[in-house]
Amino acid sequence: MTKVARHATGGTVTALIGVLLWVFAGGVEVPVFELDKVGMVMVVVGIVEVAVTLVRGLGHRRA
């Protein structure tokens, strides 16, 4: 598995876990933070990771 594919897979998994937290953990009480908001942040981080990985991968192939 190439480095680009590995990072894209990691970002996708992060985003999927974030979606699961966002949808299903809204009613769970945790003293420090709210899991649905953590899920939203994980979705954004996962999408950004996939986007940056794809941009870097395409830029590296063109050069």
Side-chain angles (χ1 to χ4, degrees):
M1 184 179 273
T2 65
K3 190 173 184 179
V4 172
R6 190 172 43 231
H7 284 282
T9 303
T12 303
V13 169
T14 302
L16 288 176
I17 291 172
V19 167
L20 291 175
L21 281 174
W22 187 14
V23 172
F24 295 113
V28 178
E29 294 288 329
V30 180
V32 180
F33 44 79
E34 297 178 24
L35 291 178
D36 57 339
K37 292 194 168 104
V38 172
M40 284 189 269
V41 170
M42 287 181 69
V43 168
V44 171
V45 169
I47 290 171
V48 167
E49 185 176 358
V50 169
V52 168
T53 301
L54 292 178
V55 167
R56 280 188 170 177
L58 291 175
H60 185 262
R61 290 183 185 196
R62 288 184 182 173

